[in-house]
Coordinates of all heavy atoms in Angstrom, one line a residue:
H6 N 0.8 -1.2 0.0 CA 0.0 0.0 0.0 C 0.9 1.2 0.0 O 1.8 1.3 0.7 CB -0.9 0.0 1.2 CG -2.0 -0.9 1.2 ND1 -3.3 -0.6 0.8 CD2 -2.0 -2.3 1.5 CE1 -4.0 -1.6 0.8 NE2 -3.3 -2.7 1.2
R7 N 0.5 2.2 -0.8 CA 1.1 3.5 -0.8 C 0.5 4.4 0.1 O -0.8 4.4 0.2 CB 1.0 4.1 -2.2 CG 2.3 4.4 -2.9 CD 2.1 5.0 -4.2 NE 1.0 6.0 -4.1 CZ 0.6 6.7 -5.1 NH1 1.1 6.6 -6.3 NH2 -0.4 7.6 -5.0
R8 N 1.2 5.1 0.9 CA 0.6 6.1 1.8 C 0.1 7.3 1.1 O 0.9 7.9 0.3 CB 1.7 6.5 2.8 CG 1.1 7.3 4.0 CD 2.1 7.7 5.0 NE 2.2 9.2 4.9 CZ 3.2 9.9 5.4 NH1 4.1 9.3 6.0 NH2 3.2 11.2 5.3
P9 N -1.2 7.6 1.2 CA -1.8 8.7 0.5 C -1.1 10.1 1.0 O -0.8 10.2 2.1 CB -3.2 8.7 0.8 CG -3.5 7.4 1.5 CD -2.1 6.9 2.0
T10 N -1.1 11.0 0.1 CA -0.6 12.3 0.4 C -1.8 13.2 1.0 O -2.8 13.2 0.4 CB 0.0 13.1 -0.8 OG1 1.0 12.2 -1.4 CG2 0.5 14.4 -0.5
P11 N -1.6 13.8 2.2 CA -2.7 14.6 2.7 C -3.0 15.8 1.8 O -2.1 16.3 1.1 CB -2.2 15.0 4.1 CG -0.7 14.7 4.1 CD -0.4 13.8 3.0
P12 N -4.2 16.2 1.8 CA -4.6 17.4 1.0 C -3.8 18.6 1.6 O -3.5 18.7 2.7 CB -6.1 17.6 1.2 CG -6.5 16.7 2.3 CD -5.4 15.7 2.5
S13 N -3.5 19.6 0.7 CA -2.7 20.7 1.1 C -3.3 21.5 2.2 O -2.6 22.1 3.0 CB -2.4 21.6 -0.1 OG -3.6 22.1 -0.6
S14 N -4.6 21.5 2.4 CA -5.2 22.3 3.4 C -4.9 21.7 4.8 O -5.1 22.4 5.8 CB -6.7 22.4 3.2 OG -7.3 21.1 3.3
S15 N -4.6 20.5 4.9 CA -4.3 19.9 6.2 C -2.9 19.9 6.5 O -2.5 19.5 7.6 CB -4.8 18.4 6.2 OG -4.0 17.6 5.4
K16 N -2.0 20.2 5.6 CA -0.6 20.2 5.9 C -0.2 21.3 6.9 O -0.6 22.4 6.8 CB 0.2 20.4 4.6 CG 0.2 19.2 3.7 CD 1.2 19.5 2.5 CE 1.1 18.2 1.6 NZ 2.0 18.4 0.5
P17 N 0.7 20.9 7.8 CA 1.1 21.9 8.8 C 2.1 22.9 8.2 O 2.7 22.6 7.1 CB 1.9 21.0 9.9 CG 2.3 19.8 9.1 CD 1.2 19.6 8.1
P18 N 2.2 24.0 8.8 CA 3.2 25.0 8.2 C 4.6 24.4 8.2 O 4.9 23.6 9.1 CB 3.1 26.2 9.2 CG 1.8 26.0 9.9 CD 1.5 24.5 9.9
P19 N 5.4 24.7 7.2 CA 6.8 24.2 7.2 C 7.6 24.6 8.4 O 7.4 25.7 9.0 CB 7.4 24.8 5.9 CG 6.4 25.7 5.4 CD 5.1 25.6 6.1
N20 N 8.4 23.7 8.9 CA 9.3 24.0 10.0 C 8.6 24.2 11.3 O 9.2 24.8 12.3 CB 10.3 25.1 9.7 CG 11.1 24.9 8.5 OD1 11.5 23.8 8.3 ND2 11.2 25.9 7.7
K21 N 7.4 23.8 11.4 CA 6.6 24.0 12.7 C 6.4 22.7 13.3 O 5.9 21.8 12.6 CB 5.3 24.7 12.4 CG 4.5 24.9 13.7 CD 3.7 26.1 13.7 CE 2.8 26.1 14.9 NZ 2.7 27.2 15.7
S22 N 6.7 22.5 14.6 CA 6.5 21.2 15.2 C 5.8 21.3 16.5 O 5.5 20.2 17.1 CB 7.9 20.5 15.4 OG 8.7 21.3 16.2
T23 N 5.4 22.4 17.0 CA 4.6 22.6 18.2 C 3.4 23.4 17.9 O 3.4 24.4 17.2 CB 5.5 23.3 19.3 OG1 6.7 22.6 19.5 CG2 4.7 23.4 20.6
Y24 N 2.2 22.8 18.3 CA 0.9 23.4 18.0 C 0.2 23.7 19.3 O 0.1 22.8 20.2 CB 0.1 22.4 17.1 CG 0.9 22.1 15.8 CD1 1.7 21.0 15.7 CD2 0.8 23.0 14.7 CE1 2.4 20.7 14.6 CE2 1.5 22.7 13.6 CZ 2.3 21.6 13.5 OH 3.1 21.3 12.4
T25 N -0.5 24.8 19.3 CA -1.3 25.1 20.5 C -2.6 24.3 20.4 O -3.1 24.0 19.3 CB -1.7 26.6 20.5 OG1 -2.5 26.9 19.4 CG2 -0.4 27.5 20.5
P26 N -3.3 24.1 21.5 CA -4.6 23.4 21.4 C -5.6 24.2 20.5 O -6.4 23.5 19.8 CB -5.1 23.5 22.9 CG -3.8 23.4 23.7 CD -2.9 24.3 22.9
C27 N -5.5 25.5 20.4 CA -6.4 26.3 19.5 C -6.1 25.9 18.1 O -7.0 25.8 17.3 CB -6.2 27.7 19.8 SG -7.3 28.8 18.8
E28 N -4.8 25.8 17.7 CA -4.5 25.5 16.3 C -5.0 24.0 16.0 O -5.5 23.8 14.9 CB -3.0 25.5 16.1 CG -2.4 26.9 16.1 CD -0.9 26.8 16.1 OE1 -0.2 26.3 17.0 OE2 -0.3 27.4 15.1
I29 N -4.8 23.1 16.9 CA -5.2 21.7 16.7 C -6.7 21.6 16.5 O -7.2 20.9 15.7 CB -4.7 20.9 17.8 CG1 -3.2 20.9 17.9 CG2 -5.3 19.4 17.7 CD1 -2.6 20.3 19.2
R30 N -7.5 22.4 17.3 CA -9.0 22.3 17.2 C -9.5 22.7 15.9 O -10.6 22.3 15.5 CB -9.6 23.2 18.3 CG -9.7 22.6 19.7 CD -10.6 23.4 20.6 NE -10.0 24.7 21.0 CZ -9.1 24.9 21.9 NH1 -8.7 23.9 22.7 NH2 -8.7 26.1 22.2
R31 N -8.8 23.4 15.1 CA -9.3 23.8 13.7 C -9.3 22.7 12.8 O -9.9 22.7 11.7 CB -8.3 24.9 13.2 CG -8.4 26.2 13.9 CD -7.5 27.2 13.3 NE -7.3 28.3 14.2 CZ -6.1 28.9 14.4 NH1 -5.1 28.5 13.6 NH2 -5.9 29.8 15.2
H32 N -8.6 21.6 13.1 CA -8.5 20.4 12.2 C -9.4 19.3 12.7 O -8.9 18.3 13.2 CB -7.0 20.0 12.1 CG -6.1 21.1 11.6 ND1 -5.9 21.3 10.3 CD2 -5.5 22.1 12.3 CE1 -5.2 22.4 10.1 NE2 -4.9 22.9 11.3
N33 N -10.7 19.4 12.5 CA -11.6 18.4 13.0 C -12.7 18.0 12.0 O -13.8 17.8 12.3 CB -12.3 19.0 14.2 CG -13.1 20.3 13.9 OD1 -13.1 20.7 12.8 ND2 -13.8 20.8 14.9
S34 N -12.2 17.9 10.7 CA -13.2 17.6 9.6 C -12.5 16.6 8.6 O -11.4 16.2 8.8 CB -13.5 18.9 8.9 OG -12.4 19.3 8.2
L35 N -13.3 16.2 7.7 CA -12.9 15.2 6.7 C -11.7 15.8 5.8 O -10.8 15.1 5.4 CB -14.0 14.8 5.7 CG -15.0 13.9 6.2 CD1 -16.2 13.8 5.3 CD2 -14.4 12.5 6.5
S36 N -11.8 17.2 5.7 CA -10.7 17.8 4.8 C -9.4 18.1 5.6 O -8.4 18.3 5.0 CB -11.3 19.1 4.2 OG -11.6 20.0 5.3
S37 N -9.5 18.0 6.9 CA -8.3 18.2 7.7 C -8.6 17.7 9.1 O -9.3 18.3 9.9 CB -7.9 19.7 7.8 OG -6.7 19.9 8.5
C38 N -8.0 16.5 9.4 CA -8.2 15.9 10.7 C -6.9 15.6 11.5 O -6.1 14.8 11.0 CB -9.0 14.6 10.5 SG -9.5 13.8 12.0
W39 N -6.7 16.3 12.6 CA -5.5 16.1 13.4 C -6.0 15.5 14.7 O -7.1 15.9 15.3 CB -4.8 17.4 13.7 CG -4.2 18.1 12.5 CD1 -4.3 17.7 11.2 CD2 -3.3 19.2 12.6 NE1 -3.5 18.6 10.5 CE2 -2.9 19.5 11.3 CE3 -2.9 20.0 13.6 CZ2 -2.1 20.6 11.0 CZ3 -2.1 21.1 13.3 CH2 -1.7 21.4 12.0
I40 N -5.3 14.6 15.2 CA -5.6 14.0 16.5 C -4.4 14.1 17.4 O -3.3 14.3 17.0 CB -6.1 12.5 16.4 CG1 -5.0 11.6 15.8 CG2 -7.4 12.4 15.6 CD1 -5.3 10.1 15.9
T41 N -4.6 13.9 18.7 CA -3.5 13.9 19.7 C -3.5 12.6 20.4 O -4.5 12.0 20.7 CB -3.7 15.1 20.7 OG1 -4.9 14.9 21.4 CG2 -3.6 16.4 20.1
V42 N -2.3 12.2 20.7 CA -2.0 11.0 21.5 C -0.9 11.4 22.5 O 0.2 11.7 22.1 CB -1.5 9.8 20.7 CG1 -1.2 8.6 21.5 CG2 -2.5 9.4 19.6
S43 N -1.3 11.5 23.7 CA -0.4 12.0 24.8 C -0.1 13.5 24.3 O -1.0 14.2 24.1 CB 0.8 11.2 25.0 OG 0.5 10.0 25.5
S44 N 1.1 13.8 24.2 CA 1.4 15.2 23.8 C 1.8 15.3 22.3 O 2.4 16.3 21.9 CB 2.5 15.8 24.7 OG 3.7 15.0 24.5
R45 N 1.6 14.2 21.6 CA 2.0 14.2 20.2 C 0.8 14.5 19.3 O -0.4 14.2 19.6 CB 2.5 12.8 19.8 CG 3.8 12.5 20.6 CD 4.3 11.1 20.4 NE 3.4 10.0 20.6 CZ 3.1 9.4 21.7 NH1 3.7 9.8 22.8 NH2 2.2 8.4 21.7
V46 N 1.0 15.2 18.1 CA 0.0 15.6 17.2 C 0.2 14.8 15.9 O 1.3 14.7 15.4 CB 0.1 17.1 16.9 CG1 -1.0 17.5 15.9 CG2 0.0 17.9 18.2
Y47 N -0.9 14.3 15.4 CA -0.9 13.5 14.1 C -1.9 14.1 13.1 O -3.0 14.3 13.5 CB -1.3 12.0 14.4 CG -0.3 11.4 15.3 CD1 -0.5 11.5 16.7 CD2 0.7 10.6 14.9 CE1 0.4 10.8 17.6 CE2 1.6 9.9 15.7 CZ 1.4 10.1 17.1 OH 2.3 9.4 17.9
D48 N -1.5 14.2 11.9 CA -2.4 14.6 10.8 C -2.8 13.3 10.1 O -2.1 12.7 9.3 CB -1.7 15.5 9.8 CG -2.5 15.9 8.6 OD1 -3.7 15.4 8.5 OD2 -2.1 16.8 7.8
V49 N -4.0 12.9 10.5 CA -4.5 11.6 9.9 C -5.5 11.8 8.8 O -6.2 10.8 8.4 CB -5.2 10.7 11.1 CG1 -4.2 10.4 12.1 CG2 -6.4 11.5 11.7
T50 N -5.5 12.9 8.2 CA -6.5 13.2 7.1 C -6.4 12.2 6.0 O -7.5 11.7 5.6 CB -6.2 14.6 6.5 OG1 -6.1 15.6 7.6 CG2 -7.3 15.0 5.5
S51 N -5.2 11.9 5.6 CA -5.1 10.9 4.4 C -5.3 9.5 4.8 O -5.5 8.6 4.0 CB -3.7 11.1 3.8 OG -2.7 10.7 4.7
F52 N -5.4 9.2 6.1 CA -5.6 7.9 6.6 C -7.1 7.6 7.0 O -7.5 6.4 7.2 CB -4.7 7.7 7.9 CG -4.8 6.3 8.4 CD1 -4.3 5.2 7.7 CD2 -5.3 6.0 9.7 CE1 -4.3 3.9 8.1 CE2 -5.3 4.7 10.2 CZ -4.8 3.7 9.4
L53 N -7.9 8.6 7.0 CA -9.3 8.5 7.5 C -10.0 7.3 6.7 O -10.6 6.5 7.4 CB -10.1 9.8 7.2 CG -9.8 10.9 8.2 CD1 -10.5 12.2 7.7 CD2 -10.1 10.6 9.6
S54 N -10.0 7.3 5.4 CA -10.7 6.3 4.7 C -10.1 4.9 4.7 O -10.7 3.9 4.4 CB -10.9 6.7 3.2 OG -9.6 6.9 2.6
S55 N -8.8 4.8 5.2 CA -8.1 3.5 5.3 C -8.2 2.9 6.7 O -7.9 1.8 6.9 CB -6.6 3.7 5.0 OG -6.5 4.3 3.7
H56 N -8.6 3.7 7.7 CA -8.7 3.2 9.1 C -9.6 2.0 9.2 O -10.8 2.1 8.8 CB -9.1 4.3 10.0 CG -8.9 3.9 11.5 ND1 -10.0 3.4 12.2 CD2 -7.9 4.0 12.3 CE1 -9.6 3.1 13.4 NE2 -8.3 3.5 13.5
P57 N -9.2 0.9 9.7 CA -10.1 -0.3 9.8 C -11.3 -0.1 10.6 O -12.3 -0.7 10.4 CB -9.2 -1.4 10.5 CG -7.8 -0.9 10.2 CD -7.8 0.6 10.1
G58 N -11.3 0.9 11.6 CA -12.4 1.1 12.4 C -13.4 2.1 11.7 O -14.4 2.4 12.3
G59 N -13.0 2.6 10.6 CA -13.9 3.6 9.9 C -13.6 5.0 10.1 O -12.9 5.4 11.1
V60 N -14.1 5.9 9.3 CA -13.8 7.3 9.3 C -14.3 7.9 10.7 O -13.6 8.7 11.3 CB -14.5 8.0 8.2 CG1 -14.4 9.5 8.3 CG2 -13.9 7.6 6.8
K61 N -15.5 7.5 11.1 CA -16.0 8.1 12.3 C -15.2 7.8 13.6 O -15.1 8.7 14.5 CB -17.5 7.6 12.6 CG -18.5 8.2 11.6 CD -19.9 7.6 11.9 CE -20.9 8.2 11.0 NZ -22.2 7.7 11.2
S62 N -14.5 6.7 13.6 CA -13.7 6.3 14.8 C -12.5 7.3 14.9 O -12.1 7.5 16.1 CB -13.2 4.9 14.7 OG -12.3 4.7 13.6
L63 N -12.0 7.9 13.9 CA -11.0 8.9 14.0 C -11.6 10.3 14.1 O -11.1 11.1 14.9 CB -10.0 8.8 12.8 CG -9.0 7.7 12.8 CD1 -8.2 7.7 11.5 CD2 -8.1 7.8 14.0
L64 N -12.6 10.6 13.3 CA -13.2 11.9 13.3 C -13.7 12.4 14.7 O -13.6 13.5 15.0 CB -14.3 12.0 12.3 CG -14.0 12.5 10.9 CD1 -15.3 12.6 10.1 CD2 -13.2 13.8 10.9
K65 N -14.1 11.4 15.5 CA -14.6 11.8 16.8 C -13.5 12.4 17.7 O -13.7 13.1 18.7 CB -15.3 10.7 17.5 CG -14.4 9.5 18.0 CD -15.3 8.4 18.6 CE -14.4 7.2 19.0 NZ -15.2 6.1 19.5
Y66 N -12.2 12.1 17.3 CA -11.1 12.6 18.1 C -10.5 13.8 17.3 O -9.5 14.4 17.8 CB -10.0 11.6 18.3 CG -10.5 10.4 19.2 CD1 -10.9 9.2 18.7 CD2 -10.6 10.6 20.5 CE1 -11.3 8.2 19.5 CE2 -11.0 9.6 21.4 CZ -11.4 8.4 20.9 OH -11.8 7.4 21.7
G67 N -11.0 14.1 16.2 CA -10.4 15.2 15.4 C -10.4 16.5 16.1 O -11.3 16.9 16.8
G68 N -9.4 17.3 15.9 CA -9.2 18.6 16.6 C -8.7 18.4 18.0 O -8.6 19.4 18.7
G69 N -8.3 17.2 18.4 CA -7.7 17.0 19.7 C -8.6 17.2 20.9 O -8.1 17.4 22.0
E70 N -9.9 17.3 20.7 CA -10.8 17.5 21.8 C -10.7 16.4 22.9 O -10.9 16.6 24.1 CB -12.3 17.5 21.4 CG -12.6 18.8 20.6 CD -12.5 20.1 21.5 OE1 -12.9 20.0 22.7 OE2 -12.0 21.1 21.0
K71 N -10.4 15.2 22.5 CA -10.2 14.1 23.4 C -8.9 13.4 23.0 O -8.7 13.1 21.8 CB -11.3 13.1 23.4 CG -11.2 12.0 24.4 CD -12.4 11.1 24.4 CE -12.2 10.0 25.5 NZ -12.6 8.7 25.1
D72 N -8.0 13.1 23.9 CA -6.8 12.4 23.7 C -7.0 10.9 23.3 O -7.9 10.3 23.9 CB -5.9 12.5 24.9 CG -4.5 12.1 24.6 OD1 -4.2 10.9 24.7 OD2 -3.6 12.9 24.3
C73 N -6.3 10.4 22.4 CA -6.4 9.0 21.9 C -5.5 8.0 22.7 O -5.5 6.9 22.3 CB -6.1 8.9 20.4 SG -7.2 9.9 19.4
E74 N -4.8 8.5 23.7 CA -3.8 7.6 24.3 C -4.5 6.3 24.8 O -3.9 5.2 24.6 CB -3.2 8.3 25.5 CG -2.2 7.4 26.3 CD -1.0 7.1 25.6 OE1 -0.6 7.9 24.7 OE2 -0.5 6.0 25.8
E75 N -5.6 6.3 25.4 CA -6.3 5.1 25.9 C -6.6 4.2 24.8 O -6.4 3.0 24.9 CB -7.5 5.5 26.7 CG -8.1 4.3 27.5 CD -9.3 4.7 28.4 OE1 -9.1 5.7 29.1 OE2 -10.3 4.0 28.4
D76 N -7.2 4.7 23.7 CA -7.5 3.9 22.5 C -6.3 3.2 21.9 O -6.4 2.1 21.4 CB -8.3 4.7 21.5 CG -9.7 4.9 21.9 OD1 -10.2 4.4 22.9 OD2 -10.4 5.7 21.1
M77 N -5.2 3.9 21.9 CA -4.0 3.4 21.3 C -3.5 2.2 22.0 O -2.8 1.3 21.4 CB -2.9 4.5 21.2 CG -3.2 5.5 20.1 SD -3.5 4.9 18.5 CE -1.8 4.2 18.0
R78 N -3.8 2.0 23.2 CA -3.3 0.8 24.0 C -3.9 -0.5 23.4 O -3.3 -1.5 23.6 CB -3.7 0.9 25.5 CG -3.0 2.0 26.2 CD -3.4 2.0 27.7 NE -3.0 3.3 28.2 CZ -3.7 3.9 29.2 NH1 -4.7 3.3 29.8 NH2 -3.3 5.0 29.7
F79 N -5.0 -0.4 22.7 CA -5.6 -1.6 22.2 C -5.2 -1.9 20.7 O -5.6 -2.8 20.2 CB -7.2 -1.4 22.2 CG -7.7 -1.2 23.6 CD1 -8.1 0.0 24.1 CD2 -7.8 -2.3 24.5 CE1 -8.5 0.2 25.4 CE2 -8.2 -2.2 25.8 CZ -8.6 -0.9 26.2
H80 N -4.4 -1.0 20.2 CA -3.8 -1.2 18.8 C -2.6 -2.1 18.9 O -1.8 -2.0 19.8 CB -3.6 0.1 18.2 CG -4.8 0.9 17.8 ND1 -5.6 1.5 18.6 CD2 -5.3 1.1 16.5 CE1 -6.6 2.1 18.0 NE2 -6.5 1.8 16.7
S81 N -2.3 -2.8 17.8 CA -1.2 -3.6 17.7 C 0.1 -2.7 17.6 O 0.0 -1.5 17.3 CB -1.3 -4.5 16.4 OG -1.2 -3.7 15.3
Y82 N 1.2 -3.4 17.8 CA 2.5 -2.7 17.6 C 2.6 -2.2 16.2 O 3.0 -1.0 15.9 CB 3.7 -3.7 17.9 CG 5.0 -3.1 17.6 CD1 5.6 -2.2 18.4 CD2 5.7 -3.3 16.4 CE1 6.8 -1.6 18.2 CE2 6.9 -2.8 16.1 CZ 7.5 -1.9 17.0 OH 8.7 -1.3 16.7
K83 N 2.2 -3.0 15.2 CA 2.3 -2.5 13.8 C 1.4 -1.3 13.5 O 1.8 -0.4 12.9 CB 1.8 -3.7 12.9 CG 1.8 -3.4 11.4 CD 3.2 -3.2 10.9 CE 3.2 -3.0 9.4 NZ 4.5 -2.6 8.9
A84 N 0.2 -1.3 14.1 CA -0.7 -0.1 14.0 C 0.0 1.1 14.6 O -0.1 2.2 14.0 CB -2.0 -0.4 14.6
R85 N 0.6 1.0 15.7 CA 1.2 2.2 16.3 C 2.5 2.6 15.5 O 2.7 3.8 15.4 CB 1.7 1.8 17.8 CG 0.4 1.7 18.7 CD 0.9 1.6 20.2 NE 1.7 0.4 20.4 CZ 1.2 -0.7 21.0 NH1 -0.1 -0.8 21.3 NH2 2.0 -1.7 21.2
E86 N 3.1 1.6 14.9 CA 4.2 2.0 14.0 C 3.8 2.8 12.8 O 4.4 3.7 12.4 CB 4.9 0.6 13.6 CG 6.2 0.8 13.0 CD 6.8 -0.6 12.7 OE1 6.4 -1.3 11.7 OE2 7.7 -1.0 13.4
V87 N 2.7 2.3 12.2 CA 2.1 3.0 11.1 C 1.7 4.4 11.5 O 1.9 5.4 10.7 CB 0.9 2.2 10.5 CG1 0.1 3.1 9.5 CG2 1.3 1.0 9.8
M88 N 1.1 4.6 12.6 CA 0.7 5.9 13.1 C 1.8 6.9 13.2 O 1.6 8.1 12.9 CB 0.1 5.6 14.5 CG -0.5 6.8 15.1 SD -2.0 7.2 14.3 CE -2.6 8.5 15.4
E89 N 3.0 6.5 13.4 CA 4.1 7.4 13.5 C 4.4 8.1 12.2 O 5.0 9.2 12.2 CB 5.4 6.7 14.0 CG 5.3 6.4 15.5 CD 5.0 7.7 16.4 OE1 5.7 8.7 16.2 OE2 4.1 7.6 17.1
R90 N 4.0 7.5 11.1 CA 4.2 8.2 9.8 C 3.4 9.5 9.7 O 3.7 10.3 8.9 CB 3.7 7.2 8.7 CG 4.5 6.0 8.6 CD 4.0 5.2 7.4 NE 4.4 3.8 7.6 CZ 3.8 2.8 7.0 NH1 2.7 3.0 6.2 NH2 4.2 1.5 7.2
Y91 N 2.3 9.6 10.5 CA 1.4 10.7 10.4 C 1.8 11.8 11.5 O 1.1 12.8 11.6 CB 0.0 10.2 10.5 CG -0.4 9.3 9.4 CD1 -0.2 7.9 9.6 CD2 -0.8 9.8 8.2 CE1 -0.6 7.1 8.5 CE2 -1.2 8.9 7.2 CZ -1.0 7.6 7.3 OH -1.3 6.7 6.3
R92 N 2.8 11.5 12.3 CA 3.1 12.5 13.4 C 3.7 13.8 12.8 O 4.6 13.7 11.9 CB 4.1 11.9 14.3 CG 4.3 12.7 15.5 CD 4.8 11.8 16.6 NE 6.2 12.1 17.0 CZ 6.8 11.6 18.0 NH1 6.2 10.6 18.7 NH2 8.0 11.9 18.3
I93 N 3.1 14.9 13.2 CA 3.6 16.2 12.7 C 4.2 17.1 13.8 O 4.8 18.1 13.4 CB 2.5 16.9 12.0 CG1 1.3 17.2 12.9 CG2 2.1 16.2 10.7 CD1 0.2 18.1 12.3
G94 N 4.1 16.7 15.0 CA 4.6 17.5 16.1 C 4.1 17.2 17.4 O 3.7 16.1 17.7
K95 N 4.1 18.2 18.3 CA 3.6 18.0 19.7 C 2.7 19.2 20.1 O 2.7 20.2 19.5 CB 4.8 17.9 20.6 CG 5.7 19.1 20.7 CD 6.9 18.9 21.5 CE 7.8 20.2 21.5 NZ 8.9 20.0 22.4
V96 N 2.0 18.9 21.1 CA 1.1 19.9 21.7 C 2.0 20.9 22.6 O 2.8 20.4 23.4 CB 0.0 19.3 22.6 CG1 -0.9 20.4 23.2 CG2 -0.8 18.3 21.8
G97 N 1.8 22.2 22.3 CA 2.5 23.2 23.1 C 1.5 24.1 23.7 O 0.3 23.9 23.7
E98 N 2.0 25.2 24.2 CA 1.1 26.2 24.9 C 0.8 27.3 23.9 O 1.4 27.8 23.1 CB 1.7 26.8 26.1 CG 1.8 25.7 27.2 CD 0.5 25.1 27.6 OE1 -0.5 25.9 27.7 OE2 0.4 23.9 27.8

């Protein structure tokens, strides 16, 4: 499988790796979906349609309103490894 390229509207600004909660909250839709796991930020926009649990299972966490750390515990090592490809930075103030 080839990893899809996220749409340009969901791409983080170049050279930016720390995002405020306010910035993250803007990315809560099909066109731009960012989630948080612990203090890490992931742009999962291009993965939404590929997620085995379906689009809604990721969209409900879009914008970082709820942290996904607890849910990630139930994912396989391989799934967590794949997830790292989508990491764009960390949550800051």
